[in-house]
Amino acid sequence: MSATLAKNLGLRLLYALLSLLFISFVTFVADEISPGDQATLLAGEKATPEAVLRLREQLGLNRPWGVRYGEYLGGLANGNLGNSFHGTREPVSVIVNRTLPMTVTVATCAILLAALIGIALGTIAAIKQNRVADRTILILSTLGVTIPTFVLAPVFVKIFAVNMDILPSGWSSQLAGPVWMYLLMPVVILAARPTAQITRLCRASMIETLQQEFIKLARAKGVPPARLYLRHGLRNAILPVITAIGTNFGFLLTGSFIIETAFRLPGIGATAIEAIKKGDTPVIQATVLIAGALFVLINLLVDLIQPTLDPRIREAQV
Amino acid sequence: MKGLFWVGVGYLILLLFFAVFGPTIRHDYLNPVASPLQPPSGANWFGTDEQGRDVFARVAYGARMSLIVGFSVQLIALVFGTLVGIIGVFGKRWARDPLMRLTDGMFAFPDILLAILIIGVWSTGLVPVIVALSITAWPGVARLVKTQVATLKDREFVVSARALGAPTTYVVFKHVLPHLTSILLAVAMVDLAGTILAESALSFLGIGVTPPTPSWGSMINDARAYINTQPLLLVWPCAILSLTIFALNFVGDGLRAATDPRNR
């Protein structure tokens, strides 16, 4: 590992750390400025203002915000996300542990599907540039980028659950079939936009690569087409595509809010929306914090993977 | 591509008329006017919804909501983002550095997550939606303006104006901003599509514009329950939302191509 690369990676790590701090700070401030705090809630509706003040003192809510932000960070480091305002005042960490696996499963399946199909379609479109296959793929990907998830969801339900009756229309507490049947439609719909974006990007990147000198040389040398396109072409064209996979993961997280609501999936997105409707601030904070942290970490991962794929980055200056 | 641009422009003009006159021209958008779940007819062009309200008027009011939210957010984001971008180049250090770090930090939040947080701790409704989406929209403008202004800063006409002793604000308004109007307009068109989508998504999730005020997103959400009995209820808002997004993208791309000096 060269010194410049180490410095580069150090900077990336620092940037990710600062992003995480920023996200935690924003979620902390959001609670500060939100109307009503824990004391007013715990004291109940009939409490006198004096009782609320006393409780606020007991809970330490009257201390300067800097101290409490430090405490908040300390709590986060120990996995303490506070308690829900409602029901049995369940710890938020328990709620997150219960709902996060569903969201991560759906999002991961969707991004894998999107990467696989996107790279395949993009490569085909680039090879068949300006032919029928290319035009068809371009039109499909334009549709995929512009038609929103919450339009696709009811349309798919109408076709596959109502008319054809081959897939369930949404999650239920008693599953009548294998789990993948319930996740198939959400995953495919969630993958639509990333697939389209990766396709377009992969096509553009591949077309640029195929015009390079070394491709002409390889072709002249008689390298067989499969090897030419995959080993010589795609391997060079794939870098911007990998970056796009990272940024698209952010869309998948917010997209999961919509898809989980549409299909009643018990994930972190649906939990967040429920919490907003009930005014459950600790749950809102935690879900946003975790979604944001995942986004930062995935993009950090992408940044770290890139040098192992491309020697040019490994050698490059910061 | 040029044909698509003009089709997009035509569609958007029609949409504007639809949003201004549609909600009240024939029927009221808030109260029942006929029996529920009627198919389209001469009296109710798009049929009626589950409460017997006129769907044509409601879709038109949804257009009004989308355009109000979209234009307000883009206007706020343009003004604030341009200001921050200019300070990022011409500003004093004490103003420049914190603002630029804040702009970078905003990119740590994916998509509309921050908007969801703001609405979550504040409230649902038209004003919170506009504020929340504006807060997520300005950093993109700021970054664009900053890179554009940074290249303009060293051009001869700016350097000579400053050498003649022109104050920075004069240079900015007279020599720098006019160069940015066309590219900002093009970007705002495409961003407008994103804002309209975000507003619909929030309304679909039930945390956007408060019912019974119609919005395309909440109409799509409500219509899902009647997918068997009256699927057309779903078709109208979905179709008009998708067409609007297409039109804005075509117009934005067309404007960008027209303003790109490489195409002259």
Side-chain angles (χ1 to χ4, degrees):
Chain A
M1 195 198 267
S2 66
T4 46
L5 180 66
K7 193 176 158 204
N8 201 348
L9 291 185
L11 278 177
R12 291 277 155 82
L13 279 172
L14 185 70
Y15 180 72
L17 199 68
L18 286 176
S19 300
L20 288 177
L21 269 179
F22 183 73
I23 292 174
S24 72
F25 184 68
V26 171
T27 50
F28 173 79
V29 171
D31 184 29
E32 289 295 291
I33 58 176
S34 75
D37 63 1
Q38 232 180 333
T40 29
L41 198 103
L42 279 179
E45 277 172 26
K46 289 185 197 125
T48 57
E50 290 79 25
V52 174
L53 266 178
R54 223 173 17 250
L55 196 60
R56 202 164 279 156
E57 215 158 295
Q58 278 168 14
L59 291 167
L61 292 177
N62 56 346
R63 289 171 301 159
W65 65 266
V67 177
R68 278 177 298 121
Y69 177 57
E71 233 175 49
Y72 177 69
L73 279 184
L76 290 182
N78 294 320
N80 177 13
L81 296 165
N83 289 54
S84 163
F85 279 174
H86 293 275
T88 56
R89 300 194 31 81
E90 200 177 6
V92 177
S93 53
V94 175
I95 299 178
V96 169
N97 277 334
R98 191 175 56 227
T99 53
L100 190 60
M102 170 64 81
T103 306
V104 171
T105 309
V106 173
T108 312
C109 291
I111 199 72
L112 287 178
L113 186 73
L116 215 66
I117 299 180
I119 292 173
L121 288 183
T123 310
I124 294 172
I127 295 170
K128 304 269 177 203
Q129 200 189 342
N130 293 332
R131 306 252 284 280
V132 181
D134 180 32
R135 293 270 168 236
T136 318
I137 290 171
L138 261 186
I139 291 171
L140 277 177
S141 64
T142 310
L143 285 175
V145 172
T146 39
I147 296 183
T149 313
F150 54 91
V151 169
L152 279 182
V155 171
F156 269 54
V157 166
K158 172 76 180 151
I159 296 172
F160 294 105
V162 177
N163 289 5
M164 293 168 70
D165 196 22
I166 47 171
L167 286 171
S169 66
W171 189 268
S172 62
S173 47
Q174 271 144 7
L175 299 185
V179 175
W180 67 263
M181 280 185 66
Y182 287 86
L183 297 187
L184 188 60
M185 261 202 290
V187 166
V188 169
I189 293 168
L190 193 56
R193 201 176 91 155
T195 308
Q197 271 180 349
I198 292 172
T199 304
R200 289 157 73 103
L201 199 75
C202 185
R203 175 183 179 273
S205 174
M206 191 73 178
I207 286 175
E208 208 181 301
T209 308
L210 290 180
Q211 287 165 350
Q212 307 264 327
E213 294 289 327
F214 66 88
I215 293 286
K216 286 182 196 153
L217 176 71
R219 194 172 274 150
K221 260 172 45 183
V223 174
R227 195 181 155 84
L228 178 81
Y229 291 130
L230 295 180
R231 281 293 295 273
H232 295 253
L234 192 58
R235 214 185 143 195
N236 277 285
I238 202 128
L239 271 175
V241 179
I242 302 236
T243 316
I245 292 175
T247 46
N248 265 295
F249 200 80
F251 162 76
L252 286 185
L253 287 169
T254 38
S256 67
F257 282 66
I258 291 165
I259 215 79
E260 285 169 13
T261 306
F263 288 95
R264 298 188 300 273
L265 296 178
I268 204 166
T271 309
I273 301 303
E274 278 308 299
I276 290 174
K277 287 178 183 164
K278 286 191 291 193
D280 200 344
T281 314
V283 178
I284 303 171
Q285 266 181 305
T287 43
V288 170
L289 186 74
I290 286 182
L294 274 176
F295 177 65
V296 171
L297 292 178
I298 295 287
N299 279 297
L300 177 68
L301 198 68
V302 168
D303 284 343
L304 296 184
I305 288 175
Q306 276 189 340
T308 64
L309 289 174
D310 189 345
R312 282 170 303 190
I313 296 184
R314 237 176 294 163
E315 308 301 327
Q317 301 289 318
V318 177
Chain B
M1 281 318 276
K2 212 161 185 184
L4 282 177
F5 172 80
W6 287 112
V7 170
V9 171
Y11 173 85
L12 290 178
I13 292 171
L14 279 179
L15 187 74
L16 204 62
F17 276 99
F18 186 49
V20 172
F21 301 108
T24 43
I25 189 167
R26 287 173 58 83
H27 293 293
D28 179 53
Y29 62 92
L30 271 182
N31 299 306
V33 292
S35 47
L37 299 174
Q38 290 300 305
S41 64
N44 304 99
W45 290 341
F46 286 5
T48 60
D49 71 358
E50 70 279 6
Q51 293 185 33
R53 295 173 297 198
D54 183 59
V55 176
F56 180 85
R58 289 182 68 75
V59 172
Y61 199 86
R64 191 185 284 183
M65 278 290 117
S66 293
L67 293 177
I68 287 176
V69 172
F71 280 117
S72 316
V73 168
Q74 285 310 314
L75 194 68
I76 296 171
L78 272 182
V79 171
F80 193 68
T82 307
L83 201 66
V84 172
I86 286 172
I87 292 175
V89 176
F90 288 107
K92 295 261 188 334
R93 215 190 158 131
W94 58 265
R96 193 181 64 200
D97 288 358
L99 268 177
M100 284 301 105
R101 293 297 84 75
L102 179 67
T103 312
D104 290 340
M106 296 297 287
F107 283 96
F109 277 96
D111 271 340
I112 55 170
L113 198 60
L114 185 61
I116 288 177
L117 177 70
I118 294 166
I119 290 168
V121 298
W122 183 9
S123 156
T124 58
L126 183 62
V127 176
V129 166
I130 291 177
V131 172
L133 291 178
S134 304
I135 290 177
T136 55
W138 71 264
V141 180
R143 192 170 268 192
L144 176 79
V145 169
K146 196 198 155 194
T147 49
Q148 294 283 326
V149 173
T151 56
L152 284 172
K153 191 187 171 193
D154 297 324
R155 296 272 293 274
E156 293 89 347
F157 56 90
V158 176
V159 174
S160 48
R162 300 187 80 183
L164 284 170
T168 309
T169 41
Y170 175 84
V171 173
V172 165
F173 278 100
K174 192 83 187 170
H175 296 292
V176 174
L177 279 184
H179 284 267
L180 294 178
T181 42
S182 51
I183 183 163
L184 282 179
L185 193 68
V187 171
M189 275 293 167
V190 177
D191 285 358
L192 187 60
T195 305
I196 287 176
L197 270 183
E199 184 274 320
S200 300
L202 291 173
S203 298
F204 175 84
L205 292 169
I207 57 173
V209 177
T210 328
T213 307
S215 154
W216 290 337
S218 58
M219 290 179 75
I220 292 171
N221 191 30
D222 294 342
R224 293 194 302 144
Y226 306 94
I227 203 162
N228 281 320
T229 39
Q230 193 49 271
L232 273 179
L233 272 183
L234 193 62
V235 171
W236 300 119
C238 282
I240 292 186
L241 173 63
S242 303
L243 284 176
T244 306
I245 304 302
F246 273 117
L248 285 170
N249 277 312
F250 289 145
V251 174
D253 286 347
L255 281 177
R256 192 147 42 186
T259 55
D260 191 341
R262 278 173 299 184
N263 290 346
R264 284 202 191 125

